[in-house]
Structure formats: structure tokens, C-alpha cells
Amino acid sequence: MGTLICAPIMVQDSGRALEIALQARDLGADLVEFRVDDLFSGDDADAENILDLVRRSPLPCIVTCRPTWEGGNCDADDAERVALFERLGTSDHPPRYIDVELAAYTRSANLRQKIDLAVEHPRQVRDVKTSLILSTHDFVSRPSDLTRRVLSMGAHDAAAVHKIAFNARSLRDNLELIDIIAERSKPTIALGMGEFGLMSRVLAPKFGAFLTFASVVPMEVTAPGQPTIRDLLDLYRFRAITPETRVYGVVGWPVEHSLSPLVHNAGFEAVGHDGVYLPMPIAVSEDGGRDKTGAYESFKATMLAMIDHRGLDLAGVSVTIPHKQNLVRLARERGWSIDDTSEACGAGNTLTITRTQGRVTADVRNTDAPAAAACLADVLGDLKGKRIAIVGAGGVARAIAVGVSALGADVLVANRTPERAAGLVADLAKAASANGAASAIEIDKLPSSGAHAIVNATPVGMAGGPAPDESPVPAAVIKDCPPDTVYFDTVYTPFETPMLALARARGARTINGVGMFVRQAAMQAQLWTGKPAPAQLFERLVREKLAGA
Ligand code: NAP
């Protein structure tokens, strides 16, 4: 039996809960968990109500009545809850599972005996059966006595399933959860709660977990990190994940809105590559990332732990803000191979990990630079001798400068902070891959003649950015530029930024940021799968997603 998908339902109203259970079934869930904490106050009428809910459930169900002391809402005492389980377990239509907390189960021999009588286990075989899930949770962090809790579960033969859930503090906590599943003695659920725990939930079938939880509607507030059934099945292709499936992801902070999982998972499916691609958040310090040392240390520790973990099979990673420079630093420290473009940019966005007979090799590339250059070459033709003005001097500006310079273009960098533009130009002069001239200019001195293309590599004009309604290049400059000037905006939300709208009104040719995103992703996919990536599919998916956002 494969790993099941279970939809948790907080029951406030039985009718509504049954509607959600039907939706869960139609979406592809295998079972539902009725969380009856709010429905059960300890009396008989509540128990009748719950029996009726179970009887009418369209899917096999777990009944959980989580007490307040284990993160639930139920105020009934252990004896009252156990009485409910006895009634459920011995009814004509019992739930497929009841979930009982390890702490409640172990603290009273009397109650334990009553629970054991209500469920099927090796000493008690029933025709109509309900089985026991023994569970333990920590909503704050990894419990310090985790190993003892796991051992304690193993000592009780009445438990059919073990469930361990704790708040994952970083991606590394997933690795321990994976190990718990791999070393299981019984069917096991081991999951990380919170945004860092998504990996343990999606990869459950890779490690043979008993089930994973997924919601009917997004639960970002009440259960962050818990995917929807639709995302699990359509985005992550849960049913196709096997022990052999290779793992990929996008490392950055934040990454929850990254479009990379959308394109890469679809790309793997299209080319028949057995891989799954996940968001992989690696946090930086509270000050928003200015503490670069802390950011590097957590990046390094997390990456090495994931690469070294034998079961995880990490095969490739896209690296985004703020870890692109950290990737090159780590690669230098570890002696990984680094391409000239990443060396010249001082930043990489693609890590490929290869395992041959237990030996791990890692390769760092930068696909942003050739992707941006290809977007410009599409419109301008051969870039040799072309003059490209870049507004901005951050990571993207650097990649574009390196990319076009490698093809022989001359670069003019205009930035709000002039020293940063000068630094970029100085670094480019030293780069082995550079083949064109480079100079810096003050941002308000950008000339209206001389450039074949003007590129926006700042967030100006980006929806939700610092100046969403502005163009980084003044309207007057665009008006005075020759009409054959090409305008390239790396921003892709919205499709047509204020700069591109002004350029189009002038009759100029424009390039928006979707093409660069799609190209850098397609180059990554080809490195990982060895097959040409379906770039048109990537573009369609990105446009659809952004249009619907
Ligand atoms: P970054 O390293 O933080 O650099 C941002 C640059 O924008 C800096 O040069 C900064 O100037 C300048 N800037 C910021 N706010 C400004 C303002 N209000 N007015 C003028 N200049 C301003 O960021 P990045 O990684 O290079 O990303 C830049 C943009 O590229 C992003 O906003 C994103 O839209 C786009 N992008 C596109 C793709 C794609 O695939 N199409 C991928 C990644 C990013 P100072 O040096 O003076 O601070």
C-alpha cells in the first residue's frame, strides 16, 4: 500500500464537516481525520453526534479528540475521552482509526486497558475493526526526549500506527523525521509542522510513511507548511514519488512564492525525469539578512546536511536571494567545481549533485547570466560590439553584465549608489570571461543615445516593490532615445511595467522578465535531466500563474 493522503477536518458542525469530507474524496484524498475537539464536551449527546458523523463519512476516517494539553481544543478529561473511544471502537460503524496521545495512553494502566479493548491488535482480532494511532506532538520545536518517545511507542503492541509531529525549526529537522520513518517498526507518520516541514510531508512516499496530511483549502494560517490536496497531487505529483525519486528544490529566503516548483515539477513530468522539486527555505537572521555571517553559517550547515544525507537523494538545487553568493563561497571552501560565469558574478544559482559509487561531486553554475544575454540576443542578434546600459548594480545587474560581456557587448552601469556601480565595473574588468568594455555612470546621467538596449535590473516598477508606478528610466529619456532602442525589464510582475509601457508607446521593442526567468530555469532543468527542457511549457505556466495571481 502506498502512502495515504489524509484530509484533516476541524469539526464545528457535522453537516459542514461531511461536505468537506466529500470534497476531500473528490480531490483524491484516501481518508479524513475528524478533529472532534470542539464537538466533544464529555457528554453522551456529543458522542452520539460523533458516531453519526463517522457512520456518514464518505471516506474511511480517523477520529481525534485532541486535549488542550497537547495543542487541541478539547477540555474533556482523559476518562471522558477514553469513554468516547470505547463507544466508537465497539460500535457497528467504527472509525478506521482512533488517535490517542502517547502521554494519555501511558499515564494510566486502567485507561490504557480500556483503549486496548476498543481497538484491534495482535491479541484481539475483530470483524469490524478500528485501529490505534499512538501520537505525540510538539508545537514549539523538536522535543528533547524525542528518542525516548519513539522507543516508548514501540513498547505498546496495541498501536497499529505511530505518529510523531513537531515544529520543524529548519530544513534539517526533516532529515531526522525521514530517519524515523526509515527505521520504523510499525507504519509511521513523521512530519514537521510549520513552513520548514513541507519536505517531510511531500516526501512521505519516498520513505514509506503511512500517510501525509493535506487540506482541502489552503491552511497557511492554521497549519503553515501543510499542502493542499491539489498541490500535493498536481504540483508535487505525490502519487509518482517512489523511493528512487530524486529530490530538487529552490533554496532561498523567503521562497514560499517562488515559481520554480511550478515549472520544474511540470518539466520533470514532461521529459519523464523521476524527480520532485520543493521550496527549501533557509532563513537569515531577523535583521533581514544584513547579518551575512549568520546567513552563511545556516546555509552551509543546512546544505551540507542535506547533501550528506544518504536517503534524501538531493540531486539539484536552484539558489536564490539571499544565498547566491553563499553558494560560491561554500563551493570554494569545499573544492566544488565552479563555472567561469559564477566566478565572474561572485554568485551562482544552480547546484548539481552527482553520486557515483557513494562518491558525491557538486558543480556550481550561473544560468541567470546566459539567460539574460540570450533574451537580449534574441532581439539584438549578435551582441558583439553592442552597447548595453544596465540600471542597477545588484545581483541581477551583475549577472546581466557578465552574461552580455562574455558575448562581447560593452556595458554601461547606472546605479542609485554610484560606488556599487563602480565596484561592479571593477570586478568585470578582472573577470576572465569578460570580452567587452565596461563603465559606470550616475543614474540621473543616463544618456538618451548610444545604447542599443536599456535594462532595468532594479525592483522599480515591480508590483509590491518600492516604486510600483515608476519607471527607473525617466519618460523624457525614453522619448529622446532612438526608436530602435530595445528595453528589457527583468521585473515580471506586472508583465508590462511602467518602463515597458513608456517604451511601447514610443514604438520601441520590449522584453519582459518572464523570458529570463524561464530561460534560467530551462538551463537548470537541462543540467539536471540531461534532456532539453520544455521552455514553452515553462513560459505558459508562468504566464498563467501570474495572470491568475
Ligand atoms: P538587489 O541585489 O537587491 O539589487 C537591487 C538594485 O536595485 C540595486 O542596484 C539597488 O540600488 C537598486 N534599487 C533598489 N531600489 C531602488 C529604487 N527605489 N530606485 C533606484 N534603484 C533602486 O536585487 P537583485 O537580485 O539584483 O534583483 C533586482 C530585480 O531583478 C528584482 O527586483 C526582480 O524584479 C528582478 N529579478 C528578475 C529575475 C528574472 O529571472 N527575470 C530574477 C531575479 C530578479 P542600490 O545599490 O542603490 O541599493
Side-chain angles (χ1 to χ4, degrees), residues 29 31 72 87 133 147 152 190 196 199 205 221 232 256 267 381 409-410 437 490 522:
L31 69 166
R87 275 188 78 170
I133 298 176
T147 306
S152 170
F196 295 106
M199 183 189 282
V221 180
L232 205 58
E256 74 262 33
D410 296 336
T490 62

Side-chain angles (χ1 to χ4, degrees), residues 402-422:
V402 167
V404 299
S405 175
L407 297 179
D410 296 336
V411 171
L412 179 68
V413 183
N415 192 46
R416 183 178 59 180
T417 309
E419 303 78 44
R420 226 173 153 196

Side-chain angles (χ1 to χ4, degrees), residues 361-384:
T361 50
D363 170 73
V364 172
R365 308 240 175 148
N366 185 311
T367 64
D368 286 331
C375 288
L376 283 163
D378 259 2
V379 182
L380 289 172
D382 187 356
L383 292 185
K384 193 167 171 43

Side-chain angles (χ1 to χ4, degrees), residues 237 240-242 244-248 268 272-276:
R237 298 182 303 123
I241 298 174
T242 70
E244 280 72 48
T245 301
R246 292 185 194 166
V247 174
Y248 301 82
F268 291 161
H273 183 69
D274 188 5
V276 60

Side-chain angles (χ1 to χ4, degrees), residues 103-458:
Y105 187 79
T106 48
R107 74 174 146 233
S108 158
N110 177 33
L111 294 182
R112 184 159 64 244
Q113 201 175 23
K114 289 183 173 173
I115 293 166
D116 286 0
L117 283 170
V119 296
E120 182 177 82
H121 52 78
R123 292 171 278 114
Q124 179 170 267
V125 180
R126 292 254 178 81
D127 287 344
V128 185
K129 65 173 183 177
T130 192
S131 304
L132 174 64
I133 298 176
L134 216 45
S135 66
T136 184
H137 306 80
D138 191 317
F139 292 88
V140 178
S141 91
R142 177 197 180 280
S144 54
D145 61 346
L146 180 65
T147 306
R148 191 199 58 71
R149 293 190 197 190
V150 174
L151 286 173
S152 170
M153 284 184 176
H156 298 289
D157 71 344
V161 178
H162 297 163
K163 177 186 175 193
I164 296 109
F166 62 82
N167 188 45
R169 301 150 301 171
S170 83
L171 288 177
R172 275 183 286 168
D173 277 341
N174 292 289
L175 303 177
E176 187 167 16
L177 289 158
I178 288 168
D179 291 339
I180 289 172
I181 300 171
E183 291 158 13
R184 67 190 176 273
S185 57
K186 291 260 174 83
T188 296
I189 306 161
L191 52 90
M193 295 183 280
E195 67 179 309
F196 295 106
L198 178 73
M199 183 189 282
S200 65
R201 296 172 182 269
V202 175
L203 296 184
K206 180 169 171 66
F207 305 103
F210 174 63
L211 65 73
T212 199
F213 291 97
S215 55
V216 170
V217 290
M219 308 272 279
E220 274 144 29
V221 180
T222 50
Q226 181 170 281
T228 60
I229 300 169
R230 189 162 275 149
D231 276 354
L232 205 58
L233 291 174
D234 297 349
L235 175 61
Y236 299 117
R237 298 182 303 123
F238 185 80
R239 303 284 190 211
I241 298 174
T242 70
E244 280 72 48
T245 301
R246 292 185 194 166
V247 174
Y248 301 82
V250 52
V251 163
W253 181 258
V255 284
E256 74 262 33
H257 297 301
S258 169
L259 295 170
S260 297
L262 178 72
V263 297
H264 283 298
N265 282 309
F268 291 161
E269 183 175 20
V271 303
H273 183 69
D274 188 5
V276 60
Y277 187 103
L278 302 162
M280 296 181 175
I282 298 183
V284 297
S285 54
E286 292 293 306
D287 71 356
R290 273 170 278 134
D291 172 11
K292 297 288 183 222
T293 314
Y296 178 65
E297 291 310 325
S298 68
F299 174 81
K300 176 179 172 178
T302 308
M303 290 306 300
L304 294 182
M306 291 200 299
I307 292 168
D308 290 345
H309 192 275
R310 277 186 300 164
L312 182 63
D313 253 338
L314 188 72
V317 171
S318 313
V319 177
T320 187
I321 296 168
H323 294 303
K324 289 183 183 186
Q325 287 159 305
N326 289 337
L327 178 62
V328 168
R329 181 171 164 193
L330 180 60
R332 286 184 183 139
E333 253 182 60
R334 308 295 291 190
W336 297 343
S337 72
I338 308 172
D339 73 343
D340 286 349
T341 313
S342 302
E343 285 285 8
C345 293
N349 73 332
T350 312
L351 174 66
T352 307
I353 300 146
T354 315
R355 291 180 170 76
T356 339
Q357 292 170 342
R359 207 175 145 260
V360 177
T361 50
D363 170 73
V364 172
R365 308 240 175 148
N366 185 311
T367 64
D368 286 331
C375 288
L376 283 163
D378 259 2
V379 182
L380 289 172
D382 187 356
L383 292 185
K384 193 167 171 43
K386 298 281 180 349
R387 290 179 300 277
I388 314 292
I390 301 171
V391 184
V396 166
R398 196 167 271 266
I400 295 168
V402 167
V404 299
S405 175
L407 297 179
D410 296 336
V411 171
L412 179 68
V413 183
N415 192 46
R416 183 178 59 180
T417 309
E419 303 78 44
R420 226 173 153 196
L424 196 170
V425 166
D427 287 348
L428 198 58
K430 286 184 255 160
S433 64
N435 280 318
S439 51
I441 194 172
E442 284 172 40
I443 193 162
D444 50 6
K445 302 251 167 64
L446 194 69
S448 54
S449 65
H452 293 95
I454 299 179
V455 184
N456 174 31
T458 76

